[in-house]
Amino acid sequence: KKRVKMKQYMVTRPLYSEDAFADVHEKIHRHHKTVRHHVKQYFTCDLKRAKNAALSLLPFIGWMRIYQLKEWLLSDIVSGVSTGLVAVLQGLAYSLLASLPPWYGLFTAFFPVIVYFFLGTSRHISVGAFPVLSLMVGAVVTRLVPDEGPPVNITGFEGLTSDEQRVMVAASVTFLMGIMQLTMGLLQVGFIVMYLSDTLVSGFTTAAAVHILVSQLKFVLGLVVPGLSGPLSIVYTLEKIFVQIEKTNVCDLVTSILIMVVVFIVKEINDRYKAKLPVPIPIEVIMTVIACGVSYAFNFRVNYKVDVVGRIPVGYESPMGPNMQIFGQTAVEAFPMAIVGFAVAFSVAKVYSVKHDYIIDGNQELIAFGASNIIGAAFKSFAASTALSRSAVQESTGGKTQIAGLLSALIVMVVTLAIGFLLEPLPKSVLGAVVIVNLKGMLMQIREVPYLWRRDRPDCVVWVVTCLASILLGLDLGLAVGLGIELLTVVFRAQFPRCSVLANITGTDIYKDRKDYMSIYEPEGVKIFRIPSPIFFANIDFFRGKLVEAVGFNPLRVLRKRNKALRMIRKLLKKGELQMTSKGLLLISSGPIEESEDESNMEELDQPTDFKDLPVQVNWNSELPANIHVPRVDVHSLILDFSAVSFLDISALKGLKAALKELIRVEVEVYIVACDAYILKKLHSCMFFDDEVKSSMFFLTLHDAMLHILEKHPIRGAKPYLGPHRFIHRNLSHSFESCFCVAGTDLYM
């Protein structure tokens, strides 16, 4: 293998401890703003802030000012028409998931889109029904208004049909979901979506796809199966389907299979030749039109007992207010719906914002979706987010801004007001087939499991547990379980980090895990210990245990043994059985020596060894008289690498100080290197330092500390090259976060 010639550079600088560096290089004193100042600044209003607030609250003003009419308008028109046709079809289909009459999906494809046009920051996502949210709404609807049996006793249900009761439930839970999203946006807590990792969302949406698939089987097979919700509802649904499988409507089944095969094939063609096709072939719309025509011509509803969409009312219904009693019944389900709806939409929006180079605001997105769902619910639409496939159509057909979304809403409005009757003969099995085909992307996420198992097993556990829990317990409980497991893995990683003992890479100032490299140098009596995580109450005991493993002895046990030995030596000297000679302490008595078992004053054993009343200082690594045995300590210096320690809490401070004192009291010099300035400041403010634990133990870099140790404890014989006065650095790339080089050094602060 050809060796690559490495570039080199040299830096000559003094050896720095933290104290020495602070003496030489003066720090800038920064004035931190008080809470009062922040509050005053927050409520101060001027023309500039008012303008920024308006642009932030109404983002469409920003992109409308730069709208390129000639270049963008035609693309937006084509995209809007294409997306509108898909939105009509998906609105009808996803209404079935929400256990609502199909035409309410058209409302969801209209009102939220109009509101998002004014308030949303993404220019490319298509707002409307999302299958996972629709299924979660359906679970609430069937729980409060079941297919079999009476509905839950709720004021306001009197005199309403079953469908009207379901619409009220769906609209009320959507309204509550919108309130939650709007509140989170106003409180600026858009960061909450960060707790939903890609792994968790992938497992959750895969489970949702399984639920959706099962829920659509009754339409594909033409069976009458009541909607169920709650834990194990998917098992009970499958049981009810297979019990009556012999009643399958052959016409529905054949139609569904034909639709799924054709749509699947054409979608694969769209994916493979997307670079050559001017716009994707709208196969779902084409097959829907054909199915409507065939169903009408052969009268599927009468001749083959096929369940069709049926009457679609013309126009929009009067707005209504939410039912407060339903709020109390659905609050637990509404919160995960709010989080999932926002998380999915924000993830898709972020992908397109990066691709097209513009900025989206998570908090403003929460406000936009909250307002969209509140206003939409008032007009009887159900939960809105974004569907991945519909957004892909809007972007891939050339959509530049939300003008395309506005035009798609106009297409939906035309269907609602004028030509909705043409969709009345459409078989519901066709809608079910379209839904199932569009699940391909979510179901294929299962291929991530082998990759995760090989690369990151805790993440794999999160995926599998989230998916299984969501399938078996339901989407709301499954999400909670997945979130709990995810947080546990974070705690597990932080509580049990991979600590390591480092060694010098020969001829450099680089230090790596001693287990990973062959050409290493470890000075005798020196240990370098690294903990790659914050130190806090949950892992301080783990840290101390690993530290004991690294040095090879328990300092507290050694200290107690030494103090016991001193107690024994003083006792023998007092009795005259031990005398001082030129060779040291000599035992005179030949009788058996009984070791004192007096444990009444254990606190004395934990104190530093005291030689003040002895004629000689004991060498603990030499042979002691009277068969006194004390464990040897072959380590004279310990370096703690704190470069990856981002914070310490009070419990960790106490535990760290106790560990340092135990080591210092057994004559081990401790050095802490690469400590963050924030942690150092906290140590000073918490009175961490005293006569034993001193600030002089802190060094800027690991190599500084090592050179200081080698100067203090010279190595016998030839000294390996460590660059005592010059640091030689290979041409490595490092990532610095707002750091600047201190003039004349290789240090970045």
Side-chain angles (χ1 to χ4, degrees):
K1 185 177 179 180
K2 185 179 178 181
R3 292 178 62 88
V4 179
K5 186 177 180 181
M6 304 297 290
K7 295 181 180 180
Q8 298 184 352
Y9 69 90
M10 293 186 182
V11 176
T12 302
R13 67 166 176 82
L15 188 154
Y16 284 124
S17 66
E18 288 281 359
D19 290 345
F21 186 81
D23 291 339
V24 175
H25 299 278
E26 184 180 358
K27 288 188 71 174
I28 298 173
H29 180 69
R30 288 182 288 179
H31 296 279
H32 296 283
K33 295 178 181 178
T34 62
V35 175
R36 180 182 177 185
H37 182 86
H38 282 292
V39 172
K40 182 180 178 181
Q41 187 179 31
Y42 183 79
F43 287 103
T44 300
C45 184
D46 54 29
L47 184 61
K48 184 178 179 181
R49 290 199 68 186
K51 180 180 177 182
N52 290 337
L55 289 174
S56 175
L57 189 60
L58 299 171
F60 83 101
I61 297 175
W63 56 259
M64 284 290 284
R65 290 163 62 185
I66 62 170
Y67 193 83
Q68 301 174 24
L69 193 65
K70 293 182 179 179
E71 290 81 4
W72 293 359
L73 183 59
L74 182 59
S75 298
D76 278 339
I77 291 174
V78 173
S79 174
V81 173
S82 302
T83 307
L85 295 174
V86 175
V88 169
L89 179 59
Q90 290 188 351
L92 296 172
Y94 296 157
S95 290
L96 302 182
L97 293 176
S99 300
L100 297 174
W103 63 86
Y104 286 98
L106 300 179
F107 299 167
T108 307
F110 178 74
F111 292 106
V113 177
I114 301 296
V115 178
Y116 187 85
F117 172 85
F118 295 102
L119 300 179
T121 58
S122 174
R123 303 177 194 173
H124 293 88
I125 64 171
S126 175
V127 177
F130 175 53
V132 176
L133 273 185
S134 301
L135 190 68
M136 296 176 80
V137 171
V140 177
V141 167
T142 53
R143 179 173 65 83
L144 297 184
V145 188
D147 289 323
E148 296 177 347
V152 175
N153 186 19
I154 291 177
T155 304
F157 275 4
E158 299 85 357
L160 299 179
T161 65
S162 176
D163 282 346
E164 290 171 339
Q165 291 173 349
R166 291 189 165 197
V167 170
M168 177 179 286
V169 171
S172 297
V173 73
T174 301
F175 196 98
L176 181 57
M177 167 188 164
I179 290 175
M180 291 177 176
Q181 289 177 328
L182 183 62
T183 303
M184 288 189 288
L186 294 174
L187 294 178
Q188 304 286 291
V189 292
F191 64 86
I192 196 170
V193 73
M194 296 178 185
Y195 292 99
L196 300 180
S197 67
D198 291 342
T199 305
L200 183 144
V201 172
S202 175
F204 177 77
T205 51
T206 303
V210 174
H211 275 283
I212 294 168
L213 175 63
V214 172
S215 71
Q216 296 306 293
L217 288 178
K218 64 181 180 182
F219 298 112
V220 169
L221 300 175
L223 302 175
V224 178
V225 179
L228 302 173
S229 61
L232 299 180
S233 60
I234 191 170
V235 177
Y236 300 137
T237 301
L238 286 172
E239 179 190 11
K240 290 182 178 294
I241 288 173
F242 286 114
V243 163
Q244 51 178 323
I245 194 72
E246 73 279 357
K247 298 179 182 178
T248 298
N249 188 308
V250 177
C251 183
D252 272 324
L253 181 60
V254 171
T255 303
S256 300
I257 292 175
L258 183 62
I259 294 288
M260 285 190 282
V261 169
V262 174
V263 171
F264 178 80
I265 292 172
V266 176
K267 275 183 169 290
E268 290 297 308
I269 294 173
N270 282 340
D271 288 340
R272 182 166 296 184
Y273 299 103
K274 60 183 176 182
K276 297 180 179 180
L277 292 171
V279 294
I281 302 171
I283 187 60
E284 294 105 322
V285 176
I286 294 172
M287 294 305 294
T288 300
V289 172
I290 294 173
C292 274
V294 173
S295 175
Y296 178 77
F298 291 94
N299 200 358
F300 277 10
R301 186 176 67 85
V302 175
N303 296 334
Y304 302 101
K305 303 296 186 288
V306 170
D307 191 13
V308 298
V309 169
R311 188 184 71 87
I312 297 180
V314 176
Y316 294 101
E317 299 184 11
S318 301
M320 70 172 185
N323 187 297
M324 295 299 158
Q325 196 172 347
I326 294 176
F327 279 8
Q329 295 275 356
T330 60
V332 175
E333 290 101 330
F335 183 71
M337 286 167 57
I339 297 298
V340 170
F342 170 64
V344 172
F346 186 72
S347 299
V348 177
K350 190 162 58 173
V351 170
Y352 290 129
S353 71
V354 171
K355 181 177 179 180
H356 295 279
D357 192 24
Y358 61 89
I359 298 173
I360 58 171
D361 182 351
N363 293 311
Q364 182 61 28
E365 286 295 291
L366 272 171
I367 292 173
F369 278 104
S372 297
N373 281 308
I374 289 172
I375 295 174
F379 288 92
K380 301 182 181 179
S381 70
F382 55 89
S385 178
T386 182
L388 280 67
S389 58
R390 196 169 60 246
S391 295
V393 169
Q394 181 164 320
E395 192 268 344
S396 63
T397 51
K400 303 296 183 184
T401 65
Q402 282 299 333
I403 293 287
L406 193 63
L407 291 173
S408 73
L410 292 177
I411 297 295
V412 174
M413 184 178 71
V414 169
V415 172
T416 305
L417 296 178
I419 59 174
F421 67 92
L422 296 176
L423 296 172
E424 291 179 0
L426 178 64
K428 289 184 178 180
S429 57
V430 173
L431 297 177
V434 170
V435 170
I436 290 174
V437 170
N438 280 296
L439 295 178
K440 179 201 167 190
M442 288 195 285
L443 289 173
M444 293 306 288
Q445 291 176 136
I446 198 170
R447 293 182 298 182
E448 296 178 11
V449 175
Y451 172 82
L452 289 172
W453 182 253
R454 292 192 302 268
R455 298 290 187 268
D456 194 326
R457 292 190 179 181
D459 262 3
C460 185
V461 170
V462 170
W463 196 102
V464 172
V465 171
T466 303
C467 185
L468 292 178
S470 299
I471 289 173
L472 297 176
L473 302 179
L475 295 180
D476 47 356
L477 291 177
L479 181 63
V481 170
L483 189 58
I485 293 295
E486 182 181 54
L487 294 179
L488 280 178
T489 61
V490 173
V491 172
F492 180 82
R493 292 176 199 254
Q495 190 170 351
F496 304 106
R498 185 184 176 274
C499 301
S500 55
V501 177
L502 306 183
N504 176 256
I505 303 298
T506 306
T508 73
D509 65 335
I510 299 169
Y511 295 80
K512 295 289 186 180
D513 191 332
R514 62 194 299 268
K515 297 178 181 179
D516 295 338
Y517 294 88
M518 297 177 62
S519 181
I520 61 173
Y521 170 65
E522 295 182 275
E524 185 178 351
V526 181
K527 292 288 184 182
I528 307 170
F529 180 75
R530 183 175 188 271
I531 178 169
S533 82
I535 307 176
F536 58 106
F537 66 93
N539 70 356
I540 182 62
D541 290 333
F542 176 81
F543 164 74
R544 295 181 66 176
K546 286 294 182 181
L547 188 57
V548 168
E549 288 182 24
V551 297
F553 62 90
N554 187 322
L556 184 59
R557 180 172 173 269
V558 171
L559 179 62
R560 288 176 176 175
K561 285 283 187 180
R562 288 185 179 183
N563 279 323
K564 281 185 181 181
L566 285 177
R567 186 183 292 178
M568 177 65 69
I569 289 171
R570 288 190 179 95
K571 184 177 179 181
L572 293 174
L573 284 171
K574 188 175 182 180
K575 289 182 177 180
E577 297 176 359
L578 199 62
Q579 288 186 355
M580 181 66 188
T581 68
S582 58
K583 296 182 179 180
L585 294 172
L586 181 64
L587 181 65
I588 297 176
S589 172
S590 58
I593 304 297
E594 295 182 3
E595 186 176 349
S596 173
E597 295 295 333
D598 181 18
E599 304 289 340
S600 60
N601 196 356
M602 288 293 294
E603 289 185 5
E604 286 186 7
L605 299 179
D606 294 344
Q607 298 305 311
T609 50
D610 184 8
F611 301 101
K612 65 182 180 181
D613 58 345
L614 294 178
V616 66
Q617 186 166 336
V618 178
N619 181 359
W620 296 111
N621 285 338
S622 64
E623 187 176 346
L624 299 178
N627 293 325
I628 297 174
H629 297 287
V630 175
R632 284 178 59 89
V633 175
D634 295 322
V635 177
H636 59 72
S637 301
L638 171 67
I639 303 176
L640 300 179
D641 182 1
F642 270 32
S643 58
V645 178
S646 57
F647 73 86
L648 295 168
D649 66 3
I650 296 300
S651 300
L653 288 180
K654 293 178 180 178
L656 177 63
K657 187 170 184 177
L660 295 181
K661 284 191 171 186
E662 290 170 6
L663 288 161
I664 292 169
R665 288 172 182 177
V666 294
E667 301 169 9
V668 176
E669 298 169 5
V670 183
Y671 302 92
I672 299 177
V673 302
C675 186
D676 186 81
Y678 164 78
I679 295 177
L680 263 176
K681 184 178 179 181
K682 185 172 184 177
L683 295 178
H684 282 285
S685 65
C686 293
M687 311 298 289
F688 183 79
F689 302 108
D690 55 24
D691 293 338
E692 292 181 278
V693 180
K694 301 177 181 179
S695 60
S696 59
M697 67 169 53
F698 285 81
F699 279 75
L700 282 183
T701 70
L702 208 164
H703 203 53
D704 281 308
M706 178 62 77
L707 294 177
H708 173 78
I709 292 168
L710 294 179
E711 185 178 357
K712 196 171 183 179
H713 302 273
I715 300 173
R716 296 174 184 175
K719 185 175 182 179
Y721 174 67
L722 285 175
H725 302 294
R726 293 179 177 178
F727 296 134
I728 297 181
H729 297 269
R730 299 296 178 188
N731 186 30
L732 300 175
S733 79
H734 296 277
S735 174
F736 297 105
E737 188 173 319
S738 301
C739 294
F740 296 92
C741 182
V742 178
T745 74
D746 62 338
L747 301 172
Y748 290 78
M749 307 298 283

